[in-house]
Amino acid sequence: MYLSLEKVLTKSNISTQNFWNFQKFEEFYVCVYTSREGSHVLFHHEVSCIFYFIFIVGLFNLYEDLYFTYLEINPLVVTKEGVYILDMAAKIDATADYICKPKWGDVVFPPPFGREAYPEEAYIADLDAKSGASLKLTLLNPRGRIWTMVAGGGASVVYSDTICDLGGVDELANYGEYSGAPSEQQTYDYAKTILSLMTNEKHPDGKVLIIGGSIANFTNVAATFKGIVRAIKDYQGPLKEHEVTIFVRRGGPNYQEGLRVMGEVGKTTGIPIHVFGTETHMTAIVGMALGHRPIPNQPPVAAHTANFLLNTSASAATPARTRNTSFCEHKLSTSVTDGMTPTAVEFKSNVCLSTPLAKATTLFSRQTKAIVWGMQTRAVQGMMDFDYVCSREEPSVVAMIYPFTGDHKQKFYWGHKEILLPVYKNMADAMKKHPDVDVLINFASLRSAFDSTMETMQYPQIHTIAIIAEGIPEALTRKLIKTSDEKGVTIIGPATVGGIKPGCFKIGNTGGMLDNILASKLYRPGSVAYVSRSGGMSNELNNIISHTTDGVFEGVAIGGDRFPGSTFMEHVLRYQDTPGVKMIVVLGEIGGTEEYNICQGIADGRITKPVVCWCIGTCATMFSSEVQFGHAGACANQASETAVAKNQALREAGAFVPNSFDELGDVIKFVYDDLVAKGIIVPAQEVPPPTVPMDYSWARELGLIRKPASFMTSICDERGQELIYAGMPITEVFKEEMGLGGVLGLLWFQRRLPRYACHFIEMCLMVTADHGPAVSGAHNTIVCARAGKDLVSSLTSGLLTIGDRFGGALDAAAKQFSKAFDSGLLPMEFVNKMKKDGVLIMGIGHRVKSINNPDMRVQILKDFVKQHFPSTQLLDYALEVEKITTSKKPNLILNVDGFIGVAFVDLLRTCGGFTRDEADEFVEIGTLNGIFVLGRSIGFIGHYLDQKRLKQGLYRHPWDDISYVLPEHMSM
């Protein structure tokens, strides 16, 4: 059975169908859809045709096999002859491409419904497909005056919400995000696309660009800002012409340097750029940009990522350390139905029929031990630094699993001390040797995360698993959920940064760098627990809660996928049963109905602690076209799944719901202050944490220290987006068709040589490539190859023979002839002097070639040099010497080594690219012999390959070719 997906109807794509006659009673409806619990089939059961039921079964199998997430046939015509599909709408899980590509074929996912993709949207989509980062762009109103460039999927939604809340929906030009630590070049490409779009046409009121974001967990903010700064410099003219004002707010690793650079570019270009850090509420810049709040005149307080090295006492209140968590376990499962099946029979797959094991209320403690799957050394070091600053007695990470290497040890720091952590090739060994481990943090890729997580759940000691990977197919995630429910395992993720329990444990990169951990007081527990979908927004919650309360007790980011491994309700109920938690914060979002379970829990009295809740994505109902927000699950399929509907329901249920995200901090503070006033929360004095030394590499990146480099290079730089040879990007090398000679000029001489010089170099390589198997270098290579050695060993054996007697005469000849010529010696005087001193003239003489049997290699080179070189003074001098030497013996010719040596001196001295001293220095340091070494390597490799191809055996020199000369008698 084969079903084809209907294409989206646009002006350029009209679908036509065959016409069928059918009766009304033959028309039916079929729908297959997916929920967290499984796949559901809705169909009419009062049909007598056997074809119909065969079709339903086949359709469901196809749905599962091809990773559909929704499939609706309306109408479906059933006759005695068969089943006919008249119209169908379907969705497939794009993340399953790596599984279903052979079955799907080439599937082109359509742009927002009702229009073609803009070229810029297609360009960013292509960048996103080629990048490990996340780059998204949807144009809403290209003529709008409000443009955004936001880091993070959750943050991008929050900024759009705030713009719409403040009346900017009609002027909002775009929605998009860049996240996942994009490179400088990727950020530049993304930024220049935005700047190009917003400077296409003017707006009478000017335009604003909001460069926002939450507090990054691991992205180097300064590094990503470099790309944006480059784009601003490139577009400074159009930006000023279109009266663009830029507002920047960002936090995270090295954000202070990023803000400084952004502020500097504003001063140098004359573009008004206002920069703010974590001291400013995340969305406050929206109000400033839209004129709803004043722009502060004073600059933000100077700070630095290295501030955490300075241990200062503080008077801020902190909760008493006597707070303990509850170990009681209680699991409540409720659901909200869609009302989709009033007259239909429903079948479900993946429904767990066995009694599930209870999940732990307390996921983490000061004794929690974890294993990390994947070679994520930076994340592990961050966890250990967190453990140390929390005054844990020992690290929380006890081992790593990395299946691509053998068992070994990996070095980390525990405070000032270096320690070794075992790395295992397989999970069984790790679990057996560390029976006290109860948490696994899975950094496996989206392709292997499912298998490694399923394997982990076979070990009863594990009760919590964090899955970091984004893009796991929904069908596989639902299998993980089903298994975890059966085994009583709590899954955090997929598509998450993890979670944190201040003073106890943190998952991977959660909480960001140590400066943010200390600034948000995450090294000790507070009274507020939160649960969020977004990892970036969870860090923003850490910041908001630390500014408005005594801090975070625990925080979890369940992940942005449609079906996260654990739900809001599961974590809210854990917090409800934990005595140390006094209030709960939930940051929900558009899509799904999980927030209604919280409403039901409050109504039923199961949730009694105050809950502050806000669902992001309220702007979705204001957009005229479809928008896929940053998270996979952030999409409303019905009215009840909109953020507006859920916020209203939560407010009516008794939760504390602000009017916008802008007011979230105020509401949290209001609830907290009330709990303090009632004596439910009793603040305690702050205890300063121990200091943790900064890693050398990070301190150097921040510019705090300097150290002489062990190596210096001036010819090549591979660190950027593009390889650079002596200042020239590799794309330019090919564009200019510089050839091998041009590349050699860049890497050896740091010059772009004239074309004739590049051609001469290539000719030298060609004529020196080989001179038969009898010469010592080729002979050694052949013997070594026949002894069974590898290519590199055989090549090295041949190269080691190069010296003054074989192939090494280029430098010596250049030096001897140059010295004689520069000293003013006549050719005859030079010859006589060398004879008197008993020194051979290097580059003169050949065993076979002579004046009567000239070396055609020399003749070819001489013809080219005479035709193209500006001057050949030294070559002419050497040819005069040749006349004298050949008059005495015809084979004392200027050989190919000598010719290349003297011709190269003429090239260096007369091509215009070198001073006389520079030319002499290149000769002195042995550059010219490199020509012979490079050229002859080609021949040596040829001989090696020839011997292997001919399958020649071990070489043994014949006895009759050896003269054995031994003493006839040896007396004692």
Side-chain angles (χ1 to χ4, degrees):
M1 185 180 297
Y2 174 76
L3 292 178
S4 62
L5 296 179
E6 288 291 339
K7 294 182 179 178
V8 175
L9 292 180
T10 63
K11 292 180 180 178
S12 62
N13 175 35
I14 303 299
S15 171
T16 61
Q17 301 289 338
N18 292 329
F19 179 78
W20 281 291
N21 275 318
F22 63 92
Q23 302 298 319
K24 188 66 177 177
F25 65 83
E26 296 175 321
E27 181 181 335
F28 298 98
Y29 172 86
V30 176
C31 178
V32 190
Y33 69 96
T34 300
S35 71
R36 181 182 179 83
E37 292 75 25
S39 297
H40 312 257
V41 184
L42 309 180
F43 65 96
H44 288 267
H45 61 287
E46 296 179 354
V47 181
S48 58
C49 180
I50 188 64
F51 294 127
Y52 179 69
F53 294 103
I54 295 174
F55 174 81
I56 295 297
V57 173
L59 182 69
F60 182 77
N61 291 334
L62 183 78
Y63 182 93
E64 296 276 289
D65 183 53
L66 295 185
Y67 284 72
F68 280 88
T69 60
Y70 181 81
L71 195 156
E72 181 183 41
I73 302 175
N74 185 24
L76 176 73
V77 174
V78 181
T79 69
K80 294 179 180 180
E81 289 75 26
V83 179
Y84 302 94
I85 299 170
L86 298 196
D87 194 13
M88 183 180 79
K91 293 181 181 180
I92 55 177
D93 187 352
T95 61
D97 180 74
Y98 72 97
I99 299 173
C100 295
K101 181 70 172 177
K103 300 176 183 178
W104 286 352
D106 294 326
V107 176
V108 179
F109 292 92
F113 185 80
R115 68 171 175 85
E116 293 285 353
Y118 288 98
E120 294 82 3
E121 292 175 329
Y123 172 70
I124 296 300
D126 183 60
L127 285 180
D128 179 66
K130 297 175 181 176
S131 165
S134 177
L135 303 168
K136 302 289 187 295
L137 174 64
T138 300
L139 287 178
L140 303 172
N141 176 16
R143 296 183 176 181
R145 66 178 296 264
I146 306 170
W147 292 78
T148 64
M149 196 185 306
V150 181
S156 62
V157 180
V158 170
Y159 275 96
S160 296
D161 284 349
T162 308
I163 292 169
C164 294
D165 290 340
L166 296 179
V169 62
D170 293 333
E171 292 290 353
L172 180 57
N174 71 303
Y175 168 80
E177 56 130 338
Y178 67 97
S179 59
S183 67
E184 177 184 336
Q185 183 63 37
Q186 290 165 346
T187 311
Y188 168 77
D189 292 336
Y190 185 83
K192 74 175 184 180
T193 303
I194 300 293
L195 299 183
S196 173
L197 284 166
M198 71 181 301
T199 54
N200 275 338
E201 64 180 90
K202 293 184 178 180
H203 193 284
D205 299 325
K207 296 185 179 182
V208 295
L209 173 61
I210 297 172
I211 303 176
S214 57
I215 301 172
N217 287 289
F218 56 87
T219 300
N220 186 334
V221 175
T224 57
F225 271 13
K226 287 180 182 178
I228 300 176
V229 166
R230 278 176 54 199
I232 291 175
K233 289 180 178 178
D234 288 351
Y235 281 84
Q236 57 181 298
L239 288 173
K240 287 189 284 188
E241 181 184 348
H242 287 76
E243 301 180 60
V244 175
T245 303
I246 301 176
F247 293 82
V248 182
R249 192 275 186 183
R250 195 72 164 105
N254 208 11
Y255 80 92
Q256 298 89 345
E257 175 65 14
L259 296 182
R260 185 194 68 78
V261 172
M262 197 68 76
E264 285 296 320
V265 76
K267 294 176 182 177
T268 56
T269 60
I271 300 169
I273 301 179
H274 308 279
V275 297
F276 304 91
T278 56
E279 78 291 335
T280 303
H281 184 72
M282 190 178 94
T283 54
I285 60 171
V286 178
M288 300 176 198
L290 272 59
H292 291 272
R293 66 169 70 192
I295 302 173
N297 293 322
Q298 71 278 9
V301 178
H304 203 283
T305 302
N307 278 5
F308 67 86
L309 288 172
L310 307 175
N311 197 351
T312 57
S313 60
S315 58
T318 185
R321 289 190 176 273
T322 55
R323 286 200 181 119
N324 296 314
T325 57
S326 168
F327 287 87
C328 66
E329 298 177 354
H330 191 105
K331 190 171 186 293
L332 179 68
S333 177
T334 60
S335 63
V336 178
T337 61
D338 298 322
M340 295 181 65
T341 60
T343 62
V345 177
E346 180 175 336
F347 291 90
K348 299 181 182 180
S349 68
N350 296 335
V351 178
C352 176
L353 300 178
S354 60
T355 303
L357 297 177
K359 297 183 180 181
T361 298
T362 302
L363 300 184
F364 315 116
S365 70
R366 290 178 66 82
Q367 286 71 46
T368 292
K369 298 292 180 64
I371 289 177
V372 173
W373 200 105
M375 191 54 67
Q376 293 287 327
T377 54
R378 178 177 175 181
V380 171
Q381 186 61 65
M383 293 176 66
M384 290 189 172
D385 289 343
F386 176 80
D387 297 338
Y388 188 82
V389 84
C390 291
S391 301
R392 278 185 58 132
E393 295 181 359
E394 54 187 358
S396 60
V397 183
V398 299
M400 302 171 71
I401 299 172
Y402 193 62
F404 306 106
T405 61
D407 292 359
H408 64 282
K409 304 279 187 179
Q410 191 77 25
K411 186 179 72 173
F412 292 95
Y413 287 99
W414 176 248
H416 300 260
K417 184 174 64 174
E418 290 182 314
I419 62 173
L420 293 176
L421 205 65
V423 181
Y424 298 97
K425 184 176 177 64
N426 64 75
M427 190 175 295
D429 291 343
M431 296 296 179
K432 182 179 179 180
K433 294 181 180 180
H434 303 280
D436 54 346
V437 165
D438 56 2
V439 174
L440 183 128
I441 303 171
N442 194 345
F443 279 97
S445 70
L446 64 92
R447 289 172 172 80
S448 55
F450 172 78
D451 292 333
S452 54
T453 302
M454 290 295 285
E455 182 184 2
T456 303
M457 287 191 282
Q458 303 309 310
Y459 298 93
Q461 67 191 77
I462 300 295
H463 69 67
T464 304
I465 302 174
I467 306 173
I468 310 302
E470 180 179 2
I472 299 176
E474 291 178 4
L476 299 184
T477 302
R478 289 188 287 113
K479 291 179 182 179
L480 292 176
I481 294 170
K482 176 177 179 288
T483 304
S484 67
D485 287 342
E486 293 172 351
K487 295 182 176 294
V489 175
T490 298
I491 292 180
I492 299 174
T496 183
V497 71
I500 191 167
K501 188 167 185 180
C504 295
F505 181 81
K506 88 174 184 108
I507 296 172
N509 296 303
T510 309
M513 300 290 288
L514 270 181
D515 62 327
N516 185 66
I517 287 171
L518 272 82
S520 298
K521 297 183 174 61
L522 298 175
Y523 53 86
R524 85 298 185 274
S527 304
V528 184
Y530 71 80
V531 57
S532 164
R533 273 189 172 272
S534 168
M537 290 306 298
S538 69
N539 220 5
E540 196 63 42
L541 287 177
N542 292 330
N543 183 54
I544 293 172
I545 292 171
S546 70
H547 279 84
T548 55
T549 71
D550 63 354
V552 175
F553 182 90
E554 183 180 327
V556 171
I558 62 174
D561 281 359
R562 188 177 170 208
F563 304 126
S566 53
T567 64
F568 285 138
M569 191 62 172
E570 289 179 50
H571 294 287
V572 169
L573 292 179
R574 286 198 307 106
Y575 299 153
Q576 172 66 33
D577 295 336
T578 302
V581 175
K582 304 303 179 184
M583 61 178 287
I584 302 168
V585 176
V586 178
L587 188 64
E589 68 179 28
I590 181 176
T593 57
E594 178 59 29
E595 290 85 351
Y596 290 104
N597 292 339
I598 299 175
C599 298
Q600 191 65 44
I602 296 173
D604 294 343
R606 179 65 180 89
I607 303 172
T608 58
K609 293 178 180 178
V611 177
V612 178
C613 192
W614 175 251
C615 296
I616 65 175
T618 54
C619 61
T621 56
M622 305 181 192
F623 292 156
S624 58
S625 64
E626 180 187 41
V627 175
Q628 173 59 58
F629 292 112
H631 295 153
C635 181
N637 295 311
Q638 54 189 343
S640 61
E641 295 186 12
T642 64
V644 173
K646 290 194 280 189
N647 283 331
Q648 183 60 32
L650 287 161
R651 187 178 288 111
E652 292 172 357
F656 293 88
V657 180
N659 293 319
S660 68
F661 181 83
D662 237 8
E663 299 177 5
L664 180 61
D666 297 333
V667 174
I668 291 173
K669 187 177 188 307
F670 171 80
V671 175
Y672 173 79
D673 289 344
D674 183 61
L675 294 175
V676 172
K678 293 176 179 177
I680 297 175
I681 295 177
V682 180
Q685 285 299 114
E686 184 70 60
V687 177
T691 57
V692 179
M694 180 181 286
D695 285 345
Y696 172 81
S697 58
W698 186 241
R700 185 173 182 179
E701 188 168 350
L702 295 176
L704 301 178
I705 58 174
R706 61 186 180 188
K707 170 187 172 293
S710 301
F711 281 6
M712 292 181 67
T713 181
S714 59
I715 63 170
C716 183
D717 190 345
E718 82 288 2
R719 297 170 298 172
Q721 186 77 6
E722 186 175 357
L723 182 64
I724 295 176
Y725 288 163
M728 177 174 281
I730 191 67
T731 52
E732 289 296 315
V733 173
F734 282 93
K735 183 179 178 181
E736 297 293 330
E737 298 181 351
M738 296 182 65
L740 183 59
V743 171
L744 191 146
L746 292 174
L747 295 180
W748 287 19
F749 304 109
Q750 296 181 304
R751 301 288 194 282
R752 184 170 180 180
L753 299 177
R755 191 166 294 276
Y756 73 83
C758 298
H759 193 189
F760 176 70
I761 291 173
E762 292 173 0
M763 292 177 68
C764 291
L765 296 178
M766 287 189 277
V767 300
T768 59
D770 194 47
H771 204 217
V775 297
S776 57
H779 180 83
N780 264 26
T781 301
I782 291 170
V783 172
C784 198
R786 291 180 63 172
K789 302 297 288 185
D790 60 278
L791 186 147
V792 175
S793 301
S794 302
L795 174 62
T796 303
S797 174
L799 291 176
L800 288 174
T801 65
I802 296 177
D804 288 346
R805 292 190 175 185
F806 168 62
L810 278 75
D811 282 323
K815 292 175 184 178
Q816 287 182 353
F817 281 103
S818 297
K819 183 178 179 181
F821 177 78
D822 295 340
S823 301
L825 290 176
L826 296 174
M828 180 61 76
E829 293 174 330
F830 170 57
V831 173
N832 292 336
K833 183 177 184 303
M834 297 299 285
K835 183 177 181 180
K836 180 180 178 181
D837 294 342
V839 178
L840 294 174
I841 301 176
M842 304 306 295
I844 292 291
H846 199 282
R847 288 191 62 183
V848 178
K849 299 298 179 181
S850 67
I851 194 70
N852 302 314
N853 179 26
D855 189 339
M856 293 308 298
R857 297 178 299 172
V858 175
Q859 190 62 44
I860 292 169
L861 292 175
K862 183 163 61 175
D863 292 343
F864 180 84
V865 169
K866 285 293 185 179
Q867 182 179 353
H868 294 92
F869 279 26
S871 174
T872 57
Q873 288 182 317
L874 192 60
L875 174 59
D876 294 339
Y877 183 84
L879 292 175
E880 290 298 319
V881 170
E882 181 189 47
K883 291 178 181 179
I884 299 171
T885 57
T886 54
S887 67
K888 299 180 179 181
K889 199 172 183 180
N891 69 331
L892 294 180
I893 60 172
L894 181 66
N895 59 35
V896 70
D897 294 351
F899 183 92
I900 294 174
V902 296
F904 237 106
V905 173
D906 281 333
L907 174 65
L908 294 172
R909 289 182 176 183
T910 63
C911 72
F914 307 92
T915 65
R916 177 64 176 270
D917 289 341
E918 288 174 335
D920 292 344
E921 182 183 21
F922 277 116
V923 174
E924 192 64 33
I925 62 179
T927 307
L928 305 189
N929 268 357
I931 294 292
F932 184 85
V933 171
L934 181 59
R936 192 52 59 92
S937 294
I938 300 171
F940 291 169
I941 293 172
H943 286 295
Y944 169 84
L945 297 175
D946 186 50
Q947 295 301 307
K948 293 296 184 180
R949 185 170 53 248
L950 296 173
K951 296 180 172 56
Q952 294 294 288
L954 178 67
Y955 174 80
R956 182 180 176 87
H957 202 75
W959 291 343
D960 59 4
D961 193 37
I962 301 174
S963 179
Y964 292 90
V965 183
L966 280 73
E968 294 182 2
H969 175 72
M970 179 70 69
S971 60
M972 299 301 295

